[in-house]
Amino acid sequence: MSKLRIMVLDDEPIVCKRLKPALEKQGYEVDTFTQSSDAMKQIEQVDYDLIITDLKMKGVDGMQLLTAAKQRSPKTEVIVITGFATMETAKESFHKGVFDFIAKPFKLSEIQEVVTRAEAKIRGE
Amino acid sequence: MRILFAGDEHPYSEYALKETIKLAMNTWADVTLLGVSQALPGSALVNMPASKALRHYRETFLNSWSYEDSPYEMGGGKYEWIPVKNGVLEEMKILTGRKKDFKVRLRTGNPSREILTESQDDGSDLIVIGSAKEGKCEWVNALLVPQQVVDDADCSVLIVKEQQPVTKIVACLDQGYISQESLEMINQMITIHGACLDLIGLSQDGDMEKSVYTRLIEIGDYYSDRQIEINTRLMDISDFEQVIAQEIKQDLLALWLGKKSLLNRFFSRGWVGRFVSKCPTSVLVMR
């Protein structure tokens, strides 16, 4: 079974630094980005199985990235993580087809659990 | 985010529930409503004030959303084996929230110990708890509960004193290290209340540790980058208690509780409870 390929995008490096080893430990292949413009270029090149993205970022925001990712690869699952959550952004995220919406702060175990559920969906289990 | 609301049957818990609902509406957090009662046989337990209050809180919580907006609206459910008494399991159909978890739990025993155990078991990021207002940090029938929860919790604790709009978050920085989780908690509070941030750097006899000063500047930059209104000022720790009592009217006081905290060194154990008592509004204690 091939490794799930995951993109993590957050403009706070500490978030990427926490998530990458935790997800790699679960057996996933993880690319991290702190610039949304770089992540946007990357999704033109690579179809990720799962994207974990922050919402509020300079330049391209997480909602724009979510839209672009889903347009290019509808099978890609997206998990939104945000430090500035509102009901509107939660509703909009689900309307755009996110797998889950997680407000910060969160424990690593919480995101690991959600990623495991997303993997089950991706693999059709 | 996982939120644990801990309440009894008194009005301040109702305020705390409303604050929990406001937080949940924005963050779509997993939420547990917890009550603690004295140990009694099952049939007697369901008629105790704590269990009656929980039923009311559950209805209030779930009725706060329209069906289409609620992440907690119950889905189809699945069968699970549930222990009903020693050595006996019963298969029951369990309903869960369509998008987010929502649980109501009643524990028996010492209230503060049970609240802290539940928060550890559940991996809570925030405990929301009410407190009597008039110069107190207490519960009516278990006086020390808010104080003990604040002192011993692993996660942040929001102590709600009454229902009122928050226009400003007054955060007091007295140590160089602050966790990413605590900054994220402040971000959510700013967003939920549409509030600005007043950041106070605490000094002692005019001296401020270099690490605190550096952190003060970093936090200022962090919020400026995110277009969040922030005012930074310095204050001597000896003036702090008086300022809390006099200045804070429609604000949320946010305190960092850490081992290197200047407040920890300056005041004796239990200082958070003392400040919560002095402060007329709600207090967020962060870790």
Side-chain angles (χ1 to χ4, degrees):
Chain A
M1 196 159 51
S2 62
K3 276 186 173 182
L4 218 66
R5 195 147 185 205
I6 301 178
M7 167 189 275
V8 176
L9 167 62
D10 198 303
D11 61 354
E12 291 183 56
I14 192 166
V15 177
C16 295
K17 211 172 154 185
R18 275 179 76 208
L19 287 183
K20 188 176 166 71
L23 295 172
E24 283 177 342
K25 207 173 159 188
Q26 280 186 285
Y28 304 122
E29 197 178 324
V30 183
D31 296 329
T32 59
F33 295 84
T34 52
Q35 301 285 332
S36 54
S37 52
D38 294 344
M40 203 69 158
K41 281 179 204 153
Q42 180 76 353
I43 61 168
E44 295 298 321
Q45 315 292 323
V46 178
D47 284 342
Y48 285 93
D49 299 299
L50 178 64
I51 296 175
I52 300 172
T53 180
D54 189 12
L55 277 186
K56 195 169 183 171
M57 292 174 288
K58 271 185 189 167
V60 179
D61 66 21
M63 208 60 86
Q64 288 170 284
L65 185 109
L66 158 62
T67 309
K70 282 284 184 186
Q71 265 171 8
R72 183 182 152 79
S73 168
K75 280 185 175 175
T76 299
E77 295 294 345
V78 180
I79 297 169
V80 163
I81 50 174
T82 179
F84 301 88
T86 64
M87 184 185 253
E88 288 68 35
T89 51
K91 280 163 68 176
E92 190 182 351
S93 300
F94 278 105
H95 184 69
K96 290 192 170 179
V98 293
F99 181 78
D100 209 343
F101 178 93
I102 300 174
K104 297 175 186 173
F106 52 76
K107 300 233 169 11
L108 281 176
S109 58
E110 185 181 356
I111 203 133
Q112 284 172 321
E113 252 175 66
V114 176
V115 169
T116 304
R117 282 196 286 112
E119 181 182 19
K121 186 183 175 194
I122 291 162
R123 298 202 189 277
E125 290 165 4
Chain B
M1 191 197 295
R2 288 190 174 131
I3 299 174
L4 173 65
F5 159 84
D8 61 5
E9 63 278 22
H10 294 284
Y12 48 79
S13 288
E14 187 101 28
Y15 295 141
L17 178 77
K18 286 185 177 154
E19 201 61 32
T20 306
I21 292 169
K22 202 185 287 178
L23 281 160
M25 276 189 163
N26 280 266
T27 60
W28 290 29
D30 292 324
V31 174
T32 300
L33 307 185
L34 176 72
V36 184
S37 184
Q38 59 188 108
L40 291 167
S43 55
L45 203 55
V46 294
N47 291 316
M48 291 303 287
S51 36
K52 285 183 183 170
L54 276 179
R55 252 179 258 137
H56 165 65
Y57 295 153
R58 187 237 310 140
E59 280 176 25
T60 307
F61 186 94
L62 291 176
N63 290 338
S64 301
W65 279 267
S66 60
Y67 177 83
E68 60 273 15
D69 284 346
S70 175
Y72 307 101
E73 204 53 55
M74 298 301 166
K78 59 180 179 178
Y79 284 96
E80 285 181 24
W81 290 102
I82 305 294
V84 286
K85 56 183 174 181
N86 282 351
V88 181
L89 300 173
E90 188 171 320
E91 196 181 30
M92 295 183 192
K93 194 170 190 180
I94 304 296
L95 298 177
T96 52
R98 279 186 303 153
K99 295 189 175 79
K100 293 292 173 180
D101 282 348
F102 174 70
K103 288 180 283 197
V104 183
R105 285 210 166 150
L106 181 64
R107 298 179 75 114
T108 57
N110 174 287
S112 50
R113 195 173 59 225
E114 294 305 321
I115 293 165
L116 292 166
T117 305
E118 180 67 29
S119 82
Q120 282 167 358
D121 290 353
D122 204 38
S124 309
D125 298 293
L126 178 69
I127 300 171
V128 183
I129 189 167
S131 163
K133 192 187 172 210
E134 301 300 329
K136 292 171 185 167
C137 174
E138 294 175 351
W139 271 14
V140 171
N141 295 326
L143 300 183
L144 294 174
V145 170
Q147 169 78 65
Q148 287 169 340
V149 169
V150 159
D151 282 345
D152 296 329
D154 292 334
C155 61
S156 296
V157 181
L158 177 63
I159 302 174
V160 180
K161 299 199 95 175
E162 64 174 354
Q163 192 178 8
Q164 60 172 291
V166 171
T167 53
K168 191 163 65 177
I169 300 186
V170 180
C172 304
L173 186 71
D174 65 333
Q175 56 189 357
Y177 171 76
I178 57 169
S179 67
Q180 174 71 14
E181 288 82 0
S182 65
L183 270 182
E184 289 168 351
M185 196 59 80
I186 288 191
N187 294 344
Q188 299 294 5
M189 294 295 170
I190 288 171
T191 309
I192 287 160
H193 296 290
C196 63
L197 181 64
D198 192 4
L199 186 62
I200 298 175
L202 289 178
S203 59
Q204 189 172 11
D205 303 325
D207 281 340
M208 176 176 274
E209 280 183 28
K210 194 181 169 195
S211 62
V212 178
Y213 188 72
T214 308
R215 201 68 174 131
L216 209 57
I217 294 168
E218 283 170 0
I219 296 175
D221 292 344
Y222 175 91
Y223 285 107
S224 298
D225 282 351
R226 285 158 181 78
Q227 286 89 47
I228 288 166
E229 189 187 339
I230 178 168
N231 304 302
T232 306
R233 57 184 162 137
L234 307 182
M235 185 183 295
D236 199 89
I237 197 161
S238 55
D239 298 329
F240 182 57
E241 202 167 357
Q242 200 181 356
V243 168
I244 287 177
Q246 288 177 354
E247 266 193 35
I248 297 181
K249 300 293 177 210
Q250 282 203 335
D251 308 333
L252 173 69
L253 175 65
L255 301 167
W256 274 282
L257 197 65
K259 285 177 186 155
K260 292 187 173 176
S261 158
L262 181 59
L263 288 164
N264 246 355
R265 295 202 301 268
F266 194 80
F267 296 100
S268 57
R269 185 174 160 82
W271 61 268
V272 179
R274 182 168 148 184
F275 286 175
V276 172
S277 305
K278 290 262 178 192
C279 183
T281 60
S282 300
V283 180
L284 174 68
V285 179
M286 299 171 294
R287 287 179 166 85

